[in-house]
Amino acid sequence: MRDPERGQKILDVAVTLFAKKGFNAVSLAEIGGAAGIVGSGVYRHFSGKPAILTALFETAIDRLVADLPESEPEEPAECEAAIDRLIDGQVSFAVDTREIAQIYYVENKNVPADDRVRLREKQRAYISGWTRILQGLRPELDEAHALTLVHAAIGGVQSARLHRSGPAKEELRATLKNAAWGVLRG
C-alpha cells in the first residue's frame, strides 16, 4: 500500500458504507469520495472492492490471532490467563468493531475464493489455539467437547453484533465476558 494512512482511511469509510448499504450497493467512487479521493484513486491502494473486503476481514482475524500466546501455556493459571486474554479480544471485536462482525456474516461470500480459503485457515488455527488452551485448563475435556465450548463461547460473544440496544459498552463487555467464561467453565 503506497500510503498506509490513506489506505486505512479507505478501509474505515468502506466499513461504514458496507454496513449501511451492503457491499454490492457501494461503488468505488463512493468509497473514494468518502475517503477524500477520486474513485479511481482507490486502485492505488486496493485492486477493487473485494480486496477492500478481504483487507477488512484479514485485519480483524490477524488482530484476534495476535491474542494467542506465543507458546502453549502449560499450567492451569497460565491457561486461564490466556483464555481471559482471548475472551477480551473477542469482546473488544464484538463491541468495538461491531460493524466489521456484521459485514463478515453478511458479505463473506463476496471475498474471492482463494482469499476466503486463506482466511478460513487462519480462523481454524485461531479456534484450534483456543481449544488446546481450554484443554490445558480443563484436561477432562476431549477435543470435540472443548471445540464445542469454544464455538459456543465465541458465538455468544459475537451475538452482540445482532443488536444495538441493551447495556452501555462497559456493562456489555462485562456481561459478554462473564457469559463466555460461564460457557467455558461449564
Side-chain angles (χ1 to χ4, degrees):
M1 201 179 310
R2 285 184 175 176
D3 178 357
E5 211 170 284
R6 177 73 68 183
Q8 187 59 52
K9 177 70 173 169
I10 291 167
L11 292 174
D12 292 344
V13 301
V15 167
T16 302
L17 291 170
F18 292 162
K20 184 176 182 181
K21 296 181 167 189
F23 176 82
N24 291 320
V26 175
S27 69
L28 281 178
E30 195 172 1
I31 292 170
I37 60 175
V38 296
S40 62
V42 173
Y43 287 111
R44 291 189 191 118
H45 304 277
F46 301 97
S47 61
K49 279 195 322 181
I52 294 170
L53 196 60
T54 299
L56 288 172
F57 297 159
E58 186 137 35
T59 300
I61 190 65
D62 286 348
R63 193 175 114 210
L64 292 169
V65 167
D67 290 332
L68 285 168
E70 289 184 26
S71 60
E72 291 288 320
E74 295 180 18
E75 299 297 320
E78 293 172 334
C79 293
E80 186 167 347
I83 290 173
D84 200 59
R85 179 181 163 107
L86 290 166
I87 291 171
D88 285 343
Q90 275 293 322
V91 168
S92 178
F93 176 68
V95 173
D96 298 332
T97 60
R98 181 180 300 205
E99 288 177 326
I100 294 174
Q102 290 170 333
I103 294 166
Y104 178 81
Y105 284 95
V106 174
E107 305 293 357
N108 187 42
K109 64 189 175 292
N110 290 305
V111 172
D114 289 346
D115 291 331
R116 198 167 45 244
V117 167
R118 186 174 44 75
L119 292 172
R120 290 294 298 151
E121 287 172 2
K122 285 185 177 190
Q123 289 172 322
R124 278 194 275 290
Y126 174 69
I127 296 297
S128 179
W130 269 73
T131 302
R132 286 190 311 277
I133 295 167
L134 180 58
Q135 286 180 289
L137 181 63
R138 297 193 54 203
E140 77 278 8
L141 295 174
D142 63 23
E143 184 177 359
H145 285 92
L147 181 61
T148 299
L149 291 175
V150 166
H151 277 291
I154 291 172
V157 170
Q158 291 302 316
S159 71
R161 80 182 190 288
L162 300 173
H163 57 86
R164 291 230 178 253
S165 61
K169 271 190 175 184
E170 288 312 307
E171 188 179 346
L172 178 59
R173 285 177 193 283
T175 300
L176 293 172
K177 183 171 184 166
N178 288 335
W181 267 119
V183 168
L184 295 174
R185 287 191 173 123

